[in-house]
Amino acid sequence: TLFLQSPEATVKSLLHAPIERFAWKSLITFSSIYYFMSVWTYGRSVPSGLFMPSLLTGAAYGRLVGVLLHMMAPDKISDPGVYALIGAASFLGGVTRMTISLTVIIM
């Protein structure tokens, strides 16, 4: 379902969906495929943009971390969407070389 949505809807579902919505295997698959596709298009020097791919990859990776932590300690981790938000902000800041304050303002 992650590949079949628009990028905006995918980010929204990664941030707001319930815990049971995405399995950790699908998050690994999505984040790795999307990461390598964005690296490939960036290396090809085609006009493709990096804003949404970096948000998507970071949100999927952060959601994966949140789901794995929830599997290890279900009583301590309540919402993996918070980890998706932190992952999206950190990946966006790293790819575009923004300062952390500007990244937080954009998010």
Side-chain angles (χ1 to χ4, degrees):
T1 60
L2 291 172
F3 283 112
L4 301 177
Q5 297 177 354
S6 67
E8 295 84 9
T10 305
V11 169
K12 185 177 179 180
S13 65
L14 283 170
L15 294 177
H16 299 293
I19 295 172
E20 308 85 30
R21 176 89 185 261
F22 303 113
W24 63 272
K25 292 178 186 178
S26 64
L27 289 170
I28 287 176
T29 304
F30 178 77
S31 62
S32 62
I33 288 174
Y34 217 88
Y35 173 76
F36 286 116
M37 283 178 17
S38 59
V39 166
W40 182 68
T41 58
Y42 185 63
R44 299 264 315 176
S45 298
V46 295
S48 62
L50 285 174
F51 190 79
M52 281 308 289
S54 64
L55 278 180
L56 276 173
T57 307
Y61 182 72
R63 178 87 183 197
L64 173 66
V65 169
V67 166
L68 292 176
L69 286 174
H70 179 73
M71 288 170 51
M72 292 191 310
D75 55 335
K76 301 210 186 259
I77 306 297
S78 62
D79 187 18
V82 174
Y83 291 92
L85 178 65
I86 293 170
S90 65
F91 206 85
L92 176 68
V95 167
T96 60
R97 296 186 186 125
M98 284 186 205
T99 61
I100 193 67
S101 60
L102 184 60
T103 305
V104 169
I105 290 170
I106 288 176
M107 294 305 291

